[in-house]
Amino acid sequence: QVQLQQSGPRLVKPSQTLSLTCAISGDSVSSDSSAWTWVRQSPSRGLEWLGRTYYMSKWYHEYGGSVKSRITINPDTSKNQFSLQLNSVTPEDTAVYYCARWGHAPRYFDYWGQGALVTVSS
Amino acid sequence: DIVMTQSPLSLPVTPGEPASISCRSSQSLLQSNGYNYLDWYLQKPGQSPQLLIYMGSNRASGVPDRFSGSGSGTDFTLKISRVEAEDVGIYYCMQTQQSPLAFGGGTKVEIK
């Protein structure tokens, strides 16, 4: 059974960096059959795919359009986890952030973290 | 980027009655291998989303057979044959054909 445990600050000031971590148990961040993904949810944007990292002979990183210039998703193989960093946040980045496991074949999200409400406010 | 559009936004339903949700993509999700890359998720109140249907019409493990997915190309439908009280929540379609992946805006299903 795969479990994803999210952690990180829940309050971030405008212009600063939002940082979250997703610890994986029951699978490996280096698995070649999975991609490790961040999704957020807000009343104004609904569910929004932010990006993912995965390993297939080398590491790949893919990011969504609305945050592409501000986002970094990195694996940490020593701790079997992956992280989200979102720079230069504004109140519009206030949302519930989820980490999730994506299967390459077939393609779907099968495991999700519990979600973390991150508020951007001074 | 592919844009996903769902309708209706809200769907009041009577237990035991059928329900249907529509999803349209801005580009075809049908690939040359014959598969449609479209998933359906249900987010129950206070929970993370859960997979219902993948690749257009395949029920995920443990999903009751009252849920079915159909469609091809750009037009897809999720049907519930007989709604139960536990089916309330927000339903999302999602295209999985190409990055960036994208969700529809959601359909809120509630009991009348």
Side-chain angles (χ1 to χ4, degrees), chain B residues 72-105:
Chain B
S72 185
T74 60
D75 289 285
F76 299 88
T77 303
L78 177 71
K79 292 183 179 175
I80 310 173
S81 59
R82 294 174 306 280
V83 173
E84 297 189 5
E86 65 181 23
D87 299 337
V88 298
I90 305 177
Y91 290 76
Y92 295 93
C93 61
M94 177 185 179
Q95 71 85 8
T96 65
Q97 171 161 279
Q98 65 185 53
S99 183
L101 307 186
F103 293 91

PDB file of all heavy atoms in Angstrom, chain B residues 72-105:
ATOM      1  N   SER B  72     -15.603   9.190 -27.212  1.00  0.00           N
ATOM      2  CA  SER B  72     -14.357   9.059 -27.954  1.00  0.00           C
ATOM      3  C   SER B  72     -14.012  10.386 -28.603  1.00  0.00           C
ATOM      4  O   SER B  72     -14.914  11.189 -28.913  1.00  0.00           O
ATOM      5  CB  SER B  72     -14.479   7.964 -29.017  1.00  0.00           C
ATOM      6  OG  SER B  72     -13.246   7.747 -29.658  1.00  0.00           O
ATOM      7  N   GLY B  73     -12.729  10.595 -28.805  1.00  0.00           N
ATOM      8  CA  GLY B  73     -12.310  11.820 -29.484  1.00  0.00           C
ATOM      9  C   GLY B  73     -12.348  13.029 -28.569  1.00  0.00           C
ATOM     10  O   GLY B  73     -11.458  13.200 -27.737  1.00  0.00           O
ATOM     11  N   THR B  74     -13.399  13.827 -28.711  1.00  0.00           N
ATOM     12  CA  THR B  74     -13.498  15.044 -27.906  1.00  0.00           C
ATOM     13  C   THR B  74     -14.711  15.068 -26.985  1.00  0.00           C
ATOM     14  O   THR B  74     -14.857  16.001 -26.192  1.00  0.00           O
ATOM     15  CB  THR B  74     -13.568  16.295 -28.809  1.00  0.00           C
ATOM     16  OG1 THR B  74     -14.724  16.183 -29.646  1.00  0.00           O
ATOM     17  CG2 THR B  74     -12.311  16.424 -29.669  1.00  0.00           C
ATOM     18  N   ASP B  75     -15.592  14.089 -27.081  1.00  0.00           N
ATOM     19  CA  ASP B  75     -16.826  14.103 -26.284  1.00  0.00           C
ATOM     20  C   ASP B  75     -16.969  12.839 -25.437  1.00  0.00           C
ATOM     21  O   ASP B  75     -16.962  11.725 -25.989  1.00  0.00           O
ATOM     22  CB  ASP B  75     -18.044  14.258 -27.191  1.00  0.00           C
ATOM     23  CG  ASP B  75     -18.121  15.652 -27.784  1.00  0.00           C
ATOM     24  OD1 ASP B  75     -18.492  16.588 -27.049  1.00  0.00           O
ATOM     25  OD2 ASP B  75     -17.790  15.800 -28.975  1.00  0.00           O
ATOM     26  N   PHE B  76     -17.130  13.049 -24.143  1.00  0.00           N
ATOM     27  CA  PHE B  76     -17.160  11.936 -23.204  1.00  0.00           C
ATOM     28  C   PHE B  76     -18.298  12.119 -22.210  1.00  0.00           C
ATOM     29  O   PHE B  76     -18.747  13.237 -21.954  1.00  0.00           O
ATOM     30  CB  PHE B  76     -15.829  11.840 -22.455  1.00  0.00           C
ATOM     31  CG  PHE B  76     -14.675  11.597 -23.377  1.00  0.00           C
ATOM     32  CD1 PHE B  76     -14.002  12.654 -23.958  1.00  0.00           C
ATOM     33  CD2 PHE B  76     -14.269  10.306 -23.678  1.00  0.00           C
ATOM     34  CE1 PHE B  76     -12.949  12.440 -24.821  1.00  0.00           C
ATOM     35  CE2 PHE B  76     -13.214  10.070 -24.546  1.00  0.00           C
ATOM     36  CZ  PHE B  76     -12.554  11.146 -25.123  1.00  0.00           C
ATOM     37  N   THR B  77     -18.762  10.994 -21.657  1.00  0.00           N
ATOM     38  CA  THR B  77     -19.862  11.007 -20.710  1.00  0.00           C
ATOM     39  C   THR B  77     -19.584  10.046 -19.565  1.00  0.00           C
ATOM     40  O   THR B  77     -19.105   8.932 -19.786  1.00  0.00           O
ATOM     41  CB  THR B  77     -21.182  10.596 -21.393  1.00  0.00           C
ATOM     42  OG1 THR B  77     -21.444  11.476 -22.488  1.00  0.00           O
ATOM     43  CG2 THR B  77     -22.340  10.669 -20.410  1.00  0.00           C
ATOM     44  N   LEU B  78     -19.887  10.501 -18.370  1.00  0.00           N
ATOM     45  CA  LEU B  78     -19.892   9.640 -17.191  1.00  0.00           C
ATOM     46  C   LEU B  78     -21.349   9.426 -16.803  1.00  0.00           C
ATOM     47  O   LEU B  78     -22.092  10.391 -16.652  1.00  0.00           O
ATOM     48  CB  LEU B  78     -19.137  10.265 -16.026  1.00  0.00           C
ATOM     49  CG  LEU B  78     -19.149   9.463 -14.726  1.00  0.00           C
ATOM     50  CD1 LEU B  78     -18.294   8.207 -14.843  1.00  0.00           C
ATOM     51  CD2 LEU B  78     -18.668  10.325 -13.553  1.00  0.00           C
ATOM     52  N   LYS B  79     -21.737   8.175 -16.637  1.00  0.00           N
ATOM     53  CA  LYS B  79     -23.109   7.870 -16.250  1.00  0.00           C
ATOM     54  C   LYS B  79     -23.139   7.090 -14.944  1.00  0.00           C
ATOM     55  O   LYS B  79     -22.297   6.211 -14.707  1.00  0.00           O
ATOM     56  CB  LYS B  79     -23.812   7.071 -17.350  1.00  0.00           C
ATOM     57  CG  LYS B  79     -24.046   7.864 -18.617  1.00  0.00           C
ATOM     58  CD  LYS B  79     -24.806   7.071 -19.665  1.00  0.00           C
ATOM     59  CE  LYS B  79     -25.038   7.923 -20.908  1.00  0.00           C
ATOM     60  NZ  LYS B  79     -25.682   7.156 -22.006  1.00  0.00           N
ATOM     61  N   ILE B  80     -24.112   7.457 -14.119  1.00  0.00           N
ATOM     62  CA  ILE B  80     -24.405   6.692 -12.911  1.00  0.00           C
ATOM     63  C   ILE B  80     -25.792   6.097 -13.126  1.00  0.00           C
ATOM     64  O   ILE B  80     -26.764   6.842 -13.301  1.00  0.00           O
ATOM     65  CB  ILE B  80     -24.383   7.571 -11.647  1.00  0.00           C
ATOM     66  CG1 ILE B  80     -23.105   8.416 -11.595  1.00  0.00           C
ATOM     67  CG2 ILE B  80     -24.493   6.703 -10.396  1.00  0.00           C
ATOM     68  CD1 ILE B  80     -23.086   9.441 -10.471  1.00  0.00           C
ATOM     69  N   SER B  81     -25.897   4.800 -13.129  1.00  0.00           N
ATOM     70  CA  SER B  81     -27.172   4.161 -13.500  1.00  0.00           C
ATOM     71  C   SER B  81     -28.258   4.390 -12.446  1.00  0.00           C
ATOM     72  O   SER B  81     -29.413   4.637 -12.774  1.00  0.00           O
ATOM     73  CB  SER B  81     -26.972   2.669 -13.735  1.00  0.00           C
ATOM     74  OG  SER B  81     -26.463   2.050 -12.567  1.00  0.00           O
ATOM     75  N   ARG B  82     -27.866   4.325 -11.188  1.00  0.00           N
ATOM     76  CA  ARG B  82     -28.803   4.570 -10.070  1.00  0.00           C
ATOM     77  C   ARG B  82     -28.008   5.245  -8.954  1.00  0.00           C
ATOM     78  O   ARG B  82     -27.188   4.613  -8.291  1.00  0.00           O
ATOM     79  CB  ARG B  82     -29.400   3.259  -9.553  1.00  0.00           C
ATOM     80  CG  ARG B  82     -30.297   2.533 -10.548  1.00  0.00           C
ATOM     81  CD  ARG B  82     -30.710   1.177  -9.997  1.00  0.00           C
ATOM     82  NE  ARG B  82     -29.560   0.368  -9.605  1.00  0.00           N
ATOM     83  CZ  ARG B  82     -28.803  -0.322 -10.449  1.00  0.00           C
ATOM     84  NH1 ARG B  82     -29.071  -0.313 -11.739  1.00  0.00           N
ATOM     85  NH2 ARG B  82     -27.782  -1.043  -9.996  1.00  0.00           N
ATOM     86  N   VAL B  83     -28.269   6.534  -8.789  1.00  0.00           N
ATOM     87  CA  VAL B  83     -27.490   7.311  -7.820  1.00  0.00           C
ATOM     88  C   VAL B  83     -27.774   6.855  -6.390  1.00  0.00           C
ATOM     89  O   VAL B  83     -28.926   6.605  -6.018  1.00  0.00           O
ATOM     90  CB  VAL B  83     -27.792   8.812  -7.975  1.00  0.00           C
ATOM     91  CG1 VAL B  83     -27.128   9.610  -6.861  1.00  0.00           C
ATOM     92  CG2 VAL B  83     -27.320   9.315  -9.331  1.00  0.00           C
ATOM     93  N   GLU B  84     -26.704   6.763  -5.610  1.00  0.00           N
ATOM     94  CA  GLU B  84     -26.840   6.482  -4.180  1.00  0.00           C
ATOM     95  C   GLU B  84     -26.339   7.691  -3.395  1.00  0.00           C
ATOM     96  O   GLU B  84     -25.588   8.515  -3.922  1.00  0.00           O
ATOM     97  CB  GLU B  84     -26.044   5.229  -3.805  1.00  0.00           C
ATOM     98  CG  GLU B  84     -26.546   3.977  -4.509  1.00  0.00           C
ATOM     99  CD  GLU B  84     -25.905   2.712  -3.981  1.00  0.00           C
ATOM    100  OE1 GLU B  84     -25.138   2.787  -2.990  1.00  0.00           O
ATOM    101  OE2 GLU B  84     -26.192   1.631  -4.549  1.00  0.00           O
ATOM    102  N   ALA B  85     -26.723   7.769  -2.143  1.00  0.00           N
ATOM    103  CA  ALA B  85     -26.369   8.922  -1.319  1.00  0.00           C
ATOM    104  C   ALA B  85     -24.857   9.104  -1.219  1.00  0.00           C
ATOM    105  O   ALA B  85     -24.354  10.228  -1.149  1.00  0.00           O
ATOM    106  CB  ALA B  85     -26.977   8.777   0.078  1.00  0.00           C
ATOM    107  N   GLU B  86     -24.105   8.021  -1.248  1.00  0.00           N
ATOM    108  CA  GLU B  86     -22.644   8.086  -1.108  1.00  0.00           C
ATOM    109  C   GLU B  86     -21.958   8.632  -2.371  1.00  0.00           C
ATOM    110  O   GLU B  86     -20.745   8.832  -2.372  1.00  0.00           O
ATOM    111  CB  GLU B  86     -22.086   6.693  -0.808  1.00  0.00           C
ATOM    112  CG  GLU B  86     -22.268   5.699  -1.931  1.00  0.00           C
ATOM    113  CD  GLU B  86     -21.713   4.332  -1.579  1.00  0.00           C
ATOM    114  OE1 GLU B  86     -21.589   4.025  -0.378  1.00  0.00           O
ATOM    115  OE2 GLU B  86     -21.396   3.569  -2.518  1.00  0.00           O
ATOM    116  N   ASP B  87     -22.728   8.863  -3.428  1.00  0.00           N
ATOM    117  CA  ASP B  87     -22.144   9.353  -4.687  1.00  0.00           C
ATOM    118  C   ASP B  87     -22.017  10.876  -4.729  1.00  0.00           C
ATOM    119  O   ASP B  87     -21.541  11.425  -5.725  1.00  0.00           O
ATOM    120  CB  ASP B  87     -22.975   8.885  -5.881  1.00  0.00           C
ATOM    121  CG  ASP B  87     -23.045   7.366  -5.989  1.00  0.00           C
ATOM    122  OD1 ASP B  87     -22.143   6.694  -5.459  1.00  0.00           O
ATOM    123  OD2 ASP B  87     -24.010   6.864  -6.598  1.00  0.00           O
ATOM    124  N   VAL B  88     -22.442  11.551  -3.672  1.00  0.00           N
ATOM    125  CA  VAL B  88     -22.355  13.014  -3.683  1.00  0.00           C
ATOM    126  C   VAL B  88     -20.901  13.459  -3.650  1.00  0.00           C
ATOM    127  O   VAL B  88     -20.042  12.816  -3.054  1.00  0.00           O
ATOM    128  CB  VAL B  88     -23.132  13.646  -2.507  1.00  0.00           C
ATOM    129  CG1 VAL B  88     -24.604  13.321  -2.608  1.00  0.00           C
ATOM    130  CG2 VAL B  88     -22.570  13.226  -1.171  1.00  0.00           C
ATOM    131  N   GLY B  89     -20.645  14.584  -4.318  1.00  0.00           N
ATOM    132  CA  GLY B  89     -19.300  15.123  -4.384  1.00  0.00           C
ATOM    133  C   GLY B  89     -19.115  15.853  -5.704  1.00  0.00           C
ATOM    134  O   GLY B  89     -20.080  16.125  -6.416  1.00  0.00           O
ATOM    135  N   ILE B  90     -17.863  16.142  -6.008  1.00  0.00           N
ATOM    136  CA  ILE B  90     -17.549  16.836  -7.250  1.00  0.00           C
ATOM    137  C   ILE B  90     -16.841  15.867  -8.188  1.00  0.00           C
ATOM    138  O   ILE B  90     -15.848  15.241  -7.808  1.00  0.00           O
ATOM    139  CB  ILE B  90     -16.678  18.083  -7.003  1.00  0.00           C
ATOM    140  CG1 ILE B  90     -17.349  19.005  -5.986  1.00  0.00           C
ATOM    141  CG2 ILE B  90     -16.456  18.827  -8.326  1.00  0.00           C
ATOM    142  CD1 ILE B  90     -16.526  20.224  -5.623  1.00  0.00           C
ATOM    143  N   TYR B  91     -17.363  15.767  -9.403  1.00  0.00           N
ATOM    144  CA  TYR B  91     -16.814  14.871 -10.412  1.00  0.00           C
ATOM    145  C   TYR B  91     -15.969  15.674 -11.406  1.00  0.00           C
ATOM    146  O   TYR B  91     -16.404  16.728 -11.880  1.00  0.00           O
ATOM    147  CB  TYR B  91     -17.940  14.158 -11.161  1.00  0.00           C
ATOM    148  CG  TYR B  91     -18.650  13.140 -10.303  1.00  0.00           C
ATOM    149  CD1 TYR B  91     -19.568  13.539  -9.332  1.00  0.00           C
ATOM    150  CD2 TYR B  91     -18.399  11.775 -10.462  1.00  0.00           C
ATOM    151  CE1 TYR B  91     -20.212  12.603  -8.529  1.00  0.00           C
ATOM    152  CE2 TYR B  91     -19.042  10.835  -9.663  1.00  0.00           C
ATOM    153  CZ  TYR B  91     -19.932  11.257  -8.703  1.00  0.00           C
ATOM    154  OH  TYR B  91     -20.566  10.339  -7.910  1.00  0.00           O
ATOM    155  N   TYR B  92     -14.783  15.158 -11.704  1.00  0.00           N
ATOM    156  CA  TYR B  92     -13.862  15.824 -12.624  1.00  0.00           C
ATOM    157  C   TYR B  92     -13.448  14.875 -13.743  1.00  0.00           C
ATOM    158  O   TYR B  92     -13.118  13.712 -13.486  1.00  0.00           O
ATOM    159  CB  TYR B  92     -12.585  16.257 -11.907  1.00  0.00           C
ATOM    160  CG  TYR B  92     -12.763  17.303 -10.836  1.00  0.00           C
ATOM    161  CD1 TYR B  92     -12.948  16.944  -9.500  1.00  0.00           C
ATOM    162  CD2 TYR B  92     -12.730  18.668 -11.152  1.00  0.00           C
ATOM    163  CE1 TYR B  92     -13.094  17.896  -8.518  1.00  0.00           C
ATOM    164  CE2 TYR B  92     -12.879  19.632 -10.170  1.00  0.00           C
ATOM    165  CZ  TYR B  92     -13.062  19.238  -8.859  1.00  0.00           C
ATOM    166  OH  TYR B  92     -13.211  20.190  -7.880  1.00  0.00           O
ATOM    167  N   CYS B  93     -13.438  15.392 -14.961  1.00  0.00           N
ATOM    168  CA  CYS B  93     -12.765  14.661 -16.024  1.00  0.00           C
ATOM    169  C   CYS B  93     -11.348  15.220 -16.136  1.00  0.00           C
ATOM    170  O   CYS B  93     -11.066  16.339 -15.680  1.00  0.00           O
ATOM    171  CB  CYS B  93     -13.507  14.767 -17.358  1.00  0.00           C
ATOM    172  SG  CYS B  93     -13.691  16.442 -18.018  1.00  0.00           S
ATOM    173  N   MET B  94     -10.466  14.440 -16.734  1.00  0.00           N
ATOM    174  CA  MET B  94      -9.075  14.870 -16.853  1.00  0.00           C
ATOM    175  C   MET B  94      -8.459  14.256 -18.101  1.00  0.00           C
ATOM    176  O   MET B  94      -8.577  13.042 -18.319  1.00  0.00           O
ATOM    177  CB  MET B  94      -8.274  14.418 -15.636  1.00  0.00           C
ATOM    178  CG  MET B  94      -6.805  14.760 -15.704  1.00  0.00           C
ATOM    179  SD  MET B  94      -5.921  14.062 -14.316  1.00  0.00           S
ATOM    180  CE  MET B  94      -4.270  14.616 -14.710  1.00  0.00           C
ATOM    181  N   GLN B  95      -7.808  15.092 -18.902  1.00  0.00           N
ATOM    182  CA  GLN B  95      -7.129  14.556 -20.078  1.00  0.00           C
ATOM    183  C   GLN B  95      -5.721  14.118 -19.682  1.00  0.00           C
ATOM    184  O   GLN B  95      -5.010  14.824 -18.982  1.00  0.00           O
ATOM    185  CB  GLN B  95      -7.119  15.565 -21.243  1.00  0.00           C
ATOM    186  CG  GLN B  95      -6.219  16.769 -21.072  1.00  0.00           C
ATOM    187  CD  GLN B  95      -4.769  16.522 -21.494  1.00  0.00           C
ATOM    188  OE1 GLN B  95      -4.425  15.485 -22.060  1.00  0.00           O
ATOM    189  NE2 GLN B  95      -3.897  17.485 -21.186  1.00  0.00           N
ATOM    190  N   THR B  96      -5.359  12.936 -20.152  1.00  0.00           N
ATOM    191  CA  THR B  96      -4.056  12.381 -19.817  1.00  0.00           C
ATOM    192  C   THR B  96      -3.233  12.114 -21.075  1.00  0.00           C
ATOM    193  O   THR B  96      -2.272  11.362 -21.051  1.00  0.00           O
ATOM    194  CB  THR B  96      -4.236  11.072 -19.025  1.00  0.00           C
ATOM    195  OG1 THR B  96      -4.870  10.091 -19.854  1.00  0.00           O
ATOM    196  CG2 THR B  96      -5.073  11.297 -17.783  1.00  0.00           C
ATOM    197  N   GLN B  97      -3.643  12.751 -22.159  1.00  0.00           N
ATOM    198  CA  GLN B  97      -2.952  12.497 -23.424  1.00  0.00           C
ATOM    199  C   GLN B  97      -1.597  13.179 -23.488  1.00  0.00           C
ATOM    200  O   GLN B  97      -0.631  12.596 -24.001  1.00  0.00           O
ATOM    201  CB  GLN B  97      -3.809  12.961 -24.599  1.00  0.00           C
ATOM    202  CG  GLN B  97      -3.064  12.931 -25.919  1.00  0.00           C
ATOM    203  CD  GLN B  97      -3.987  12.930 -27.099  1.00  0.00           C
ATOM    204  OE1 GLN B  97      -4.520  11.890 -27.479  1.00  0.00           O
ATOM    205  NE2 GLN B  97      -4.188  14.095 -27.671  1.00  0.00           N
ATOM    206  N   GLN B  98      -1.532  14.421 -23.031  1.00  0.00           N
ATOM    207  CA  GLN B  98      -0.286  15.143 -23.174  1.00  0.00           C
ATOM    208  C   GLN B  98      -0.083  16.101 -22.023  1.00  0.00           C
ATOM    209  O   GLN B  98      -1.033  16.547 -21.380  1.00  0.00           O
ATOM    210  CB  GLN B  98      -0.263  15.918 -24.501  1.00  0.00           C
ATOM    211  CG  GLN B  98      -1.306  17.018 -24.597  1.00  0.00           C
ATOM    212  CD  GLN B  98      -1.342  17.690 -25.959  1.00  0.00           C
ATOM    213  OE1 GLN B  98      -1.458  17.041 -26.988  1.00  0.00           O
ATOM    214  NE2 GLN B  98      -1.229  19.021 -25.958  1.00  0.00           N
ATOM    215  N   SER B  99       1.165  16.416 -21.769  1.00  0.00           N
ATOM    216  CA  SER B  99       1.519  17.391 -20.757  1.00  0.00           C
ATOM    217  C   SER B  99       1.406  18.797 -21.366  1.00  0.00           C
ATOM    218  O   SER B  99       1.803  19.001 -22.522  1.00  0.00           O
ATOM    219  CB  SER B  99       2.958  17.123 -20.303  1.00  0.00           C
ATOM    220  OG  SER B  99       3.335  17.982 -19.270  1.00  0.00           O
ATOM    221  N   PRO B 100       0.865  19.793 -20.612  1.00  0.00           N
ATOM    222  CA  PRO B 100       0.369  19.676 -19.247  1.00  0.00           C
ATOM    223  C   PRO B 100      -0.985  18.983 -19.171  1.00  0.00           C
ATOM    224  O   PRO B 100      -1.886  19.264 -19.956  1.00  0.00           O
ATOM    225  CB  PRO B 100       0.247  21.138 -18.801  1.00  0.00           C
ATOM    226  CG  PRO B 100      -0.022  21.888 -20.065  1.00  0.00           C
ATOM    227  CD  PRO B 100       0.738  21.181 -21.131  1.00  0.00           C
ATOM    228  N   LEU B 101      -1.120  18.057 -18.205  1.00  0.00           N
ATOM    229  CA  LEU B 101      -2.399  17.411 -17.981  1.00  0.00           C
ATOM    230  C   LEU B 101      -3.397  18.462 -17.519  1.00  0.00           C
ATOM    231  O   LEU B 101      -3.014  19.503 -16.964  1.00  0.00           O
ATOM    232  CB  LEU B 101      -2.259  16.312 -16.933  1.00  0.00           C
ATOM    233  CG  LEU B 101      -1.161  15.277 -17.180  1.00  0.00           C
ATOM    234  CD1 LEU B 101      -1.229  14.170 -16.138  1.00  0.00           C
ATOM    235  CD2 LEU B 101      -1.228  14.706 -18.578  1.00  0.00           C
ATOM    236  N   ALA B 102      -4.692  18.201 -17.729  1.00  0.00           N
ATOM    237  CA  ALA B 102      -5.692  19.217 -17.408  1.00  0.00           C
ATOM    238  C   ALA B 102      -6.989  18.585 -16.949  1.00  0.00           C
ATOM    239  O   ALA B 102      -7.452  17.600 -17.537  1.00  0.00           O
ATOM    240  CB  ALA B 102      -5.944  20.112 -18.616  1.00  0.00           C
ATOM    241  N   PHE B 103      -7.573  19.209 -15.923  1.00  0.00           N
ATOM    242  CA  PHE B 103      -8.862  18.789 -15.395  1.00  0.00           C
ATOM    243  C   PHE B 103      -9.975  19.656 -15.969  1.00  0.00           C
ATOM    244  O   PHE B 103      -9.757  20.823 -16.316  1.00  0.00           O
ATOM    245  CB  PHE B 103      -8.900  18.959 -13.877  1.00  0.00           C
ATOM    246  CG  PHE B 103      -7.975  18.057 -13.113  1.00  0.00           C
ATOM    247  CD1 PHE B 103      -6.683  18.465 -12.816  1.00  0.00           C
ATOM    248  CD2 PHE B 103      -8.392  16.822 -12.663  1.00  0.00           C
ATOM    249  CE1 PHE B 103      -5.816  17.654 -12.099  1.00  0.00           C
ATOM    250  CE2 PHE B 103      -7.544  15.992 -11.936  1.00  0.00           C
ATOM    251  CZ  PHE B 103      -6.250  16.416 -11.663  1.00  0.00           C
ATOM    252  N   GLY B 104     -11.175  19.094 -16.020  1.00  0.00           N
ATOM    253  CA  GLY B 104     -12.352  19.900 -16.268  1.00  0.00           C
ATOM    254  C   GLY B 104     -12.687  20.713 -15.027  1.00  0.00           C
ATOM    255  O   GLY B 104     -12.086  20.511 -13.965  1.00  0.00           O
ATOM    256  N   GLY B 105     -13.670  21.600 -15.155  1.00  0.00           N
ATOM    257  CA  GLY B 105     -14.012  22.491 -14.055  1.00  0.00           C
ATOM    258  C   GLY B 105     -14.784  21.837 -12.925  1.00  0.00           C
ATOM    259  O   GLY B 105     -14.944  22.433 -11.859  1.00  0.00           O
TER     260      GLY B 105
END
